[in-house]
């Protein structure tokens, strides 16, 4: 005999629940999870169940997962209980209540789903249409060629009826284009040609027209879907469900239901579902979906994390800042999707060329019929010329494939217009901080008051004082200390002064101060010995931090954002690729700008500039040139929007810069500038090849048709052949690997880069470089000695 669940007064037994497809998976105070078979893979029933349960007395929140059929209920134990909730679930399963028009938000959501499914439905309809047209044609060919039976082609025959049925959708689309969209397309002419051919008793030829048109439409949809799918596979990596903290418990929640300020828990191996800030915990986070970097990044309290990234090791509790379509990844996905509708000039020219070819085709068809009075010849010319699909696809398919390729390489281009233009620009403007330099500062120099005070001693004192500070400068100090395997000493008291420094007591007697000049002067520390050295560091654009022990200045550190390793080589490669001039536009002081001029191959420098002054400089250059502006921050947004092409650097950059830019290098690697130029050159090359192929086959086929050397069947095959050839040629861009630099490279850039690597290396790297240089010098000396020995022999 089956027992009643929890002693319920209702006759709800386990066998009854099992019979109705209901299984209790978890029950703890305040939370119930049951699995309902009827809701599994049924979005409508899952939605109804969720509404019913949310309306129950005492229910705080109810969520239903359609993929698994799970019903998760959070409830107030003082207002309801297990039995009441199970009864409500059972009633909805037994006598379901539907909701059709009571929730406008749900109606809108349904409309959104329908919009998302529209493309797939359109593709399916075209695929079915091609299938049945092909089947009819195969039936006719088998009947005529294999069995040798007569093939009736008049309008009242089976073949004629099938041709009429296939023409009706084309007529509807032609009327819609003409009346609603107010534009003339190839569809009215194809529909008219098909009807005329049927009336002439050539139903099989009409079927050919329909088959060619529908196959071309289906192929174009396939290419577009394939490219969009490639982009989604790259970017659509956010999870469907996540764990949200509710009253100290982790509750599984649909990502769509997470709201700002919710605290999300993410564990090892899980994807982060939201953009947010870490409240607690630390972890290694794989951010390859955002910036393309293969190595995991350590994240701690206060750090930002992004939806779609994966926790390699650790646990994080994240305060939600942005969810759903507002997350960085979703906005990037939306940008890339929108870019497919942003036509490049080459695509617009292709549309114009297709329209001209259509007019030429109609004229050629009419002239052929007037001169020969042969409807088959006229039909042949029309089949070749009146379907300019390949001409349109010549540009659109190449651009779509190039945009997908760029996304695969962490280069996000907002449209074909920018893909084409970026390859033709001849002036580049660069911001400095965060663009030519890295975002995380590093210690560049450590100077002790006396030779007896080592770099490690100064660094150890500073790391001890800064061990609990989250400031970027403090992180640079701690990172250098960790690199040298220096231990942080135990300390009792730390007092932070925002924007100035930190005071730390070590043991009972030692007081360590770490901070800027103002902080040291406030604490009466004499810094006169460091004046000249500090001034030299500031001229190099570095921030100077002083270290004091027991009131006496001990050491000084120069901290800066190091120059990106690839920066110098990339700028030289841009010049090798045809860029005429490269300009530095920065808000830093003139001394820093002059230092950058010594390092990089800039032709001009303007500093210091406010955001509006950067935009004005770009506008000045635009009077004679096409200008690319490369930046990463809020202060670059005006210039990015003003330039012909705005390029934003890095996923962690300012949102306003990302929105203002036309191209984003998500992996923050400047080599993407060379990659995108090469991709632009290759895409234009493919488009030119496609245009030549499409036009030559169109005109050649029309000429053969006019001369009576081409049958309608062969005309259709030529059209299919050149359309397929163009699509195959364009699809090469999907797997094409854009090189990082132009052919031949730049020896000058390599030499300057080696110089930069030495000048901007931290103390530990510089020592390693010096040791390597000494080893190389010794090897060269040995080689010279060997050469001299050989010469003496």
């Amino acid at each position: 005999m089956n027992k009643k669940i929890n002693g319920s007064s209702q006759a709800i037994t386990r066998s009854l629940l099992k019979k109705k497809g209901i299984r209790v998976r978890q029950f703890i105070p305040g939370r119930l999870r049951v699995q309902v078979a009827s809701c599994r893979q049924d979005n409508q029933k899952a939605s109804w169940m969720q509404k019913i349960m949310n309306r129950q007395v005492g229910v705080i929140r109810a969520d239903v997962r359609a993929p698994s059929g799970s019903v998760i209920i959070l409830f107030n134990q003082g207002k309801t209980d297990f039995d009441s909730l199970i009864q409500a679930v059972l009633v909805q399963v037994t006598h379901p209540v539907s909701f059709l028009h009571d929730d406008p938000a749900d109606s809108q959501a349904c409309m959104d789903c329908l919009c998302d499914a529209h493309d797939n439905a359109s593709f399916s309809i075209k695929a079915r249409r091609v299938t049945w047209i092909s089947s009819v044609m195969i039936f006719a060919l088998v009947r005529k060629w294999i069995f040798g039976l007569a093939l009736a082609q008049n309008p009242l025959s089976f073949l004629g009826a099938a041709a009429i049925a296939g023409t009706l959708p084309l007529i509807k689309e032609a009327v819609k284009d003409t009346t609603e969209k107010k534009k003339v397309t190839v569809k009215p002419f194809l529909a008219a040609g098909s009807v005329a051919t049927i009336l002439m008793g050539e139903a099989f030829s009409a079927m050919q027209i329909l088959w060619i048109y529908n196959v071309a439409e289906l192929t174009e949809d396939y290419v577009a879907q394939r490219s969009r799918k490639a982009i989604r596979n790259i970017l659509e990596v956010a999870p469907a469900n996540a764990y949200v903290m509710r009253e100290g418990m982790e509750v599984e929640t649909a990502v769509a239901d997470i709201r700002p300020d919710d605290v999300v828990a993410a564990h090892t191996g899980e994807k982060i579902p939201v953009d947010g800030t870490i409240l607690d915990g630390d972890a290694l986070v794989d951010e390859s979906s955002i910036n393309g970097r293969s190595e995991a990044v350590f994240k701690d309290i206060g750090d930002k994390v992004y939806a779609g990234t994966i926790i390699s090791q650790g646990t994080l509790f994240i305060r939600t800042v942005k969810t759903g379509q507002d997350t960085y990844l979703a906005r990037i996905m939306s940008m890339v999707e929108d870019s497919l509708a942003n036509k490049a000039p080459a695509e617009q020219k292709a549309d114009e060329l297709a329209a001209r070819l259509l007019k030429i085709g109609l004229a050629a068809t009419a002239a052929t019929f007037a001169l020969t009075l042969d409807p088959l010849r006229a039909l042949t010319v029309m089949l070749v010329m009146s379907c300019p699909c390949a001409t349109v696809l010549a540009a659109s398919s190449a651009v779509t494939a190039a945009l997908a390729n760029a996304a695969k390489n962490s280069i996000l281009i907002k449209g074909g217009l920018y893909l084409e233009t970026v390859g033709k620009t001849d002036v580049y403007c660069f911001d400095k901080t965060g663009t030519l330099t890295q975002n995380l500062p590093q210690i560049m120099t450590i100077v002790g008051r006396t030779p007896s005070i080592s770099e490690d001693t100064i660094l150890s004192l500073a790391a001890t004082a800064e061990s609990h500070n989250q400031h970027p400068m403090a992180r640079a100090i701690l990172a250098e200390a960790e690199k040298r395997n220096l231990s942080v000493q135990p300390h009792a008291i730390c007092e932070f002064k925002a924007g100035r420094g930190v005071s730390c007591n070590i043991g009972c007697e030692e007081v360590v101060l770490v901070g800027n000049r103002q902080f040291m002067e406030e604490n009466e520390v004499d810094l006169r010995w460091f004046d000249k050295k500090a001034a030299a560091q500031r001229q190099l654009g570095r921030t100077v931090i002083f270290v004091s022990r027991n009131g006496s200045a001990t050491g000084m550190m120069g901290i800066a954002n190091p120059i990106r390793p690839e920066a110098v080589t990339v700028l030289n490669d841009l010049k090798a690729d045809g860029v005429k001039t490269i300009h530095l536009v920065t808000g830093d002081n003139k001394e820093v700008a002059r230092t950058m001029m010594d390092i990089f191959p800039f032709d001009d420098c303007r500093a210091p500039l406010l955001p509006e002054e950067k935009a004005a400089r770009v506008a000045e250059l635009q009077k004679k040139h096409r200008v690319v502006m490369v930046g990463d921050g809020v202060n670059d947004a005006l210039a990015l929007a003003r330039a012909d092409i705005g390029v934003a650097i890095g996923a962690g950059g300012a949102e306003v810069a990302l929105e203002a830019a036309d191209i984003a290098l998500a992996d923050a690697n400047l080599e993407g500038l060379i990659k995108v130029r090469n991709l632009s050159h290759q895409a234009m090359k493919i488009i030119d090849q496609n245009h030549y192929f499409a036009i030559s086959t169109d005109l050649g086929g029309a000429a053969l048709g006019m001369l009576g050397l081409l049958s309608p069947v062969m005309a259709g095959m030529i059209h299919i052949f050149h359309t397929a050839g163009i699509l195959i040629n364009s699809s090469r861009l999907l797997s094409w690997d854009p090189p990082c630099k132009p052919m031949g490279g730049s020896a000058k850039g390599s030499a300057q880069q080696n110089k930069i690597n030495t000048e901007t290396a931290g103390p530990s790297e510089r020592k390693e470089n010096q040791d390597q240089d000494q080893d190389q010098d010794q090897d060269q000396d040995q080689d010279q000695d060997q050469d001299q020995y050989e010469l003496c022999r």
Side-chain angles (χ1 to χ4, degrees):
M1 182 176 179
N2 291 310
K3 297 180 180 179
K4 296 178 182 179
I5 298 179
N6 288 355
S8 171
S9 58
Q10 304 291 332
I12 304 176
T13 62
R14 294 187 187 279
S15 61
L16 176 61
L17 293 179
K18 187 175 180 180
K19 183 179 179 181
K20 297 296 183 181
I22 303 172
R23 292 190 176 186
V24 180
R25 294 299 188 185
Q26 183 186 48
F27 175 67
I28 57 177
R31 185 177 191 270
L32 169 67
R33 181 167 72 90
V34 297
Q35 196 168 36
V36 180
S38 61
C39 291
R40 188 183 299 124
Q41 303 298 332
D42 191 324
N43 292 325
Q44 190 177 55
K45 288 185 179 180
S47 175
W48 295 343
M49 177 66 77
Q50 182 166 307
K51 289 181 181 181
I52 282 290
M53 298 314 299
N54 273 311
R55 295 183 180 188
Q56 299 301 309
V57 176
V59 171
I60 300 171
R61 184 188 186 94
D63 294 313
V64 181
R65 310 284 185 269
S68 61
S70 292
V71 181
I72 302 169
I73 306 167
L74 303 178
F75 61 93
N76 187 326
Q77 298 180 74
K79 296 181 179 181
T80 188
D81 56 17
F82 175 89
D83 297 329
S84 300
L85 296 174
I86 287 292
Q87 181 69 30
V89 172
L90 182 61
V91 169
Q92 175 63 11
V93 171
T94 308
H95 305 288
V97 177
S98 63
F99 300 82
L100 295 179
H101 306 291
D102 63 335
D103 194 337
D106 286 335
S107 298
Q108 181 61 42
C110 291
M111 289 301 295
D112 293 340
C113 291
L114 289 174
C115 291
D116 291 338
H118 179 267
D119 290 342
N120 289 332
S122 175
F123 183 82
S124 298
I125 290 172
K126 290 176 181 177
R128 288 196 297 270
R129 195 176 296 166
V130 168
T131 301
W132 81 259
I133 291 175
S134 301
S135 300
V136 172
M137 292 180 69
I138 291 171
F139 166 78
L141 292 173
V142 169
R143 178 182 175 87
K144 182 177 181 180
W145 292 349
I146 296 179
F147 294 101
L149 300 175
L151 191 63
Q153 299 190 51
N154 60 72
L156 299 179
S157 66
F158 167 76
L159 199 57
I164 292 172
T167 306
L168 289 176
L170 186 57
I171 294 174
K172 291 179 182 178
E173 293 174 11
V175 172
K176 186 176 182 180
D177 284 349
T178 306
T179 58
E180 296 183 14
K181 298 182 181 180
K182 304 297 182 182
K183 64 179 183 180
V184 178
T185 64
V186 71
K187 294 175 185 177
F189 302 100
L190 289 177
S194 179
V195 171
T197 307
I198 294 170
L199 294 176
M200 291 167 54
E202 294 288 343
F204 189 77
S205 296
M207 293 296 289
Q208 289 181 53
I209 296 174
L210 297 172
W211 188 83
I212 292 167
Y213 169 73
N214 283 284
V215 167
E217 289 281 298
L218 183 67
T219 306
E220 186 174 359
D221 276 9
Y222 171 75
V223 171
Q225 281 198 3
R226 182 184 173 191
S227 297
R228 286 186 171 92
K229 185 177 180 180
I231 293 170
R232 288 192 182 100
N233 289 340
I234 296 163
L235 300 175
E236 196 72 42
V237 293
N241 298 323
Y243 292 95
V244 178
M245 302 303 297
R246 308 283 187 197
E247 299 181 359
M249 297 177 57
E250 295 183 10
V251 178
E252 187 178 3
T253 305
V255 171
D257 294 333
I258 298 176
R259 297 291 178 264
D261 290 330
D262 282 350
V263 178
V264 175
H267 307 271
T268 299
E270 295 178 353
K271 292 177 182 176
I272 296 175
V274 297
D275 288 359
T277 305
I278 298 175
L279 281 182
D280 193 14
D282 54 59
L284 289 173
V285 179
D286 177 4
E287 295 185 324
S288 58
S289 60
I290 292 290
N291 56 32
R293 297 173 189 164
S294 57
E295 68 277 4
V297 180
F298 179 76
K299 296 287 184 177
D300 203 350
I301 296 174
D303 287 341
K304 293 181 180 179
V305 290
Y306 298 95
T309 56
I310 301 172
I311 297 184
S312 299
Q313 183 179 10
T315 300
L316 297 178
F317 294 91
I318 305 159
R319 181 176 295 282
T320 302
V321 176
K322 292 184 177 180
T323 64
Q325 295 303 311
D326 294 327
T327 63
Y328 175 82
L329 199 64
R331 287 186 294 113
I332 292 298
M333 180 66 191
S334 177
M335 287 180 203
V336 178
E337 288 282 0
D338 291 343
S339 73
L340 297 176
N342 189 351
K343 288 194 172 184
E347 294 178 273
Q348 295 170 354
K349 290 176 184 177
D351 291 339
E352 295 172 3
L353 179 60
R356 290 191 194 131
L357 284 175
L358 178 60
K359 294 176 182 177
I360 294 172
L362 292 174
T365 302
T368 301
F369 184 75
L371 293 174
T372 65
L373 298 178
D374 187 345
L376 288 180
R377 288 195 188 187
L379 176 62
T380 300
V381 174
M382 186 186 72
L383 283 174
V384 174
M385 294 294 295
S386 66
C387 287
C389 310
T391 310
V392 176
L393 285 174
S396 62
S397 61
V399 168
T400 302
L403 294 179
N405 183 302
K408 182 181 67 175
N409 284 279
S410 299
I411 301 169
L412 307 173
I413 306 174
K414 295 185 181 179
L417 169 64
Y418 311 114
L419 172 69
E420 180 173 351
T421 305
V422 75
K424 299 177 180 178
T425 51
D426 53 0
V427 171
Y428 274 66
C429 292
F430 284 85
D431 173 51
K432 171 188 164 285
T433 306
T435 303
L436 297 172
T437 61
Q438 298 177 12
N439 291 320
L440 297 177
Q442 290 183 8
I443 294 178
M444 313 306 293
T445 302
I446 302 176
V447 179
R449 175 71 179 269
T450 63
S452 62
I453 303 177
S454 68
E455 291 185 358
D456 286 357
T457 300
I458 298 168
L459 187 60
S460 179
L461 291 172
T464 298
E466 300 280 15
S467 58
H468 298 298
N469 195 351
Q470 297 299 316
H471 192 278
M473 296 294 178
R475 293 189 181 186
I477 292 170
L478 293 170
E480 183 68 22
E482 183 179 359
K483 190 183 297 180
R484 300 189 183 199
N485 296 319
L486 301 179
S487 59
V488 176
Q489 302 177 49
H491 53 277
I493 300 174
C494 276
E495 183 179 357
F496 298 97
K497 299 290 184 180
R500 287 171 289 175
V502 59
S503 172
C504 172
N505 289 5
I506 301 176
C508 299
E509 301 178 353
E510 197 168 24
V511 178
V512 175
L513 303 178
V514 179
N516 57 22
R517 177 176 288 275
Q518 179 186 354
F519 184 64
M520 293 296 169
E521 289 175 350
E522 289 176 358
N523 288 275
E524 300 180 351
V525 178
D526 186 2
L527 299 175
R528 286 177 295 176
W529 190 89
F530 290 103
D531 283 348
K532 290 184 178 180
K533 296 182 181 297
Q537 290 296 306
R538 292 191 186 96
Q539 286 183 351
L540 294 174
R542 297 172 181 174
T543 301
V544 178
I545 300 294
F546 299 96
V547 179
S548 161
R549 179 165 53 184
N550 294 331
S552 175
T554 304
M556 177 195 81
M557 295 179 291
I559 302 178
N561 293 72
I563 290 173
R564 295 182 184 275
E566 75 281 3
V568 174
T569 302
V570 167
L571 266 63
N572 279 285
D573 288 341
L574 285 173
K575 285 200 167 184
D577 195 44
V579 175
K580 294 179 180 177
T581 57
I582 301 178
H583 301 255
L584 177 65
V585 287
T586 178
D588 276 328
N589 58 56
K590 292 183 179 180
E591 289 78 11
V592 174
R594 278 197 291 268
T595 302
M596 300 298 285
M597 288 290 289
D598 293 337
I599 296 169
F600 290 93
F602 288 120
D603 297 286
D604 183 67
C605 168
R606 299 295 172 91
L609 296 182
L610 296 173
E612 58 270 23
E613 293 172 331
K614 288 184 179 182
R617 177 56 177 160
V618 169
E620 181 183 347
L621 292 170
Q622 282 180 307
K623 293 177 181 178
K624 296 182 179 179
H625 305 279
R626 293 179 179 176
V627 179
V628 174
M629 174 67 198
V630 186
D632 80 314
V634 174
N635 61 337
D636 301 318
L638 282 175
L640 289 170
R642 184 68 182 84
D644 295 281
I645 298 292
V647 180
I649 299 292
E655 292 181 11
V656 65
L658 182 67
E659 298 294 339
D662 307 305
I663 298 173
L665 306 182
D667 61 357
N669 191 330
L670 287 175
E671 288 181 346
L673 294 174
I674 301 297
K675 287 182 178 180
V676 76
R677 280 182 71 90
N678 284 322
L679 185 60
S680 174
H681 299 329
Q682 183 69 11
M684 295 306 107
K685 180 180 176 181
I686 293 291
I687 288 172
D688 288 342
Q689 293 172 356
N690 289 346
H691 277 151
Y692 177 80
F693 186 63
I695 294 172
S696 61
T697 52
D698 274 344
L699 296 179
L704 293 174
M706 293 178 72
L707 296 173
L709 302 177
L710 199 69
S711 68
V713 174
M714 290 304 298
M717 295 306 296
I718 285 178
H719 182 73
I720 295 168
F721 167 71
H722 76 186
T723 300
I726 283 170
L727 294 174
I728 292 170
N729 194 39
S730 294
S731 66
R732 293 192 296 127
L733 280 169
L734 289 171
S735 57
W736 185 74
D737 187 16
C740 296
K741 60 181 64 178
M743 295 298 291
S746 173
K748 179 181 177 182
S750 299
Q752 287 178 311
Q753 192 66 57
N754 291 335
K755 177 183 176 183
I756 243 328
N757 290 340
T758 301
E759 291 182 355
T760 61
S764 56
E765 286 92 344
R766 193 177 297 113
K767 185 177 185 305
E768 292 177 2
N769 292 339
Q770 290 172 353
D771 293 341
Q772 291 176 0
D773 290 341
Q774 291 176 359
D775 293 340
Q776 291 176 358
D777 290 341
Q778 291 176 0
D779 292 341
Q780 290 177 357
D781 291 341
Q782 291 175 0
D783 291 340
Q784 290 174 356
D785 291 342
Q786 182 66 25
D787 292 342
Q788 186 66 31
Y789 173 73
E790 294 292 341
L791 182 62
C792 291
R793 289 184 62 189

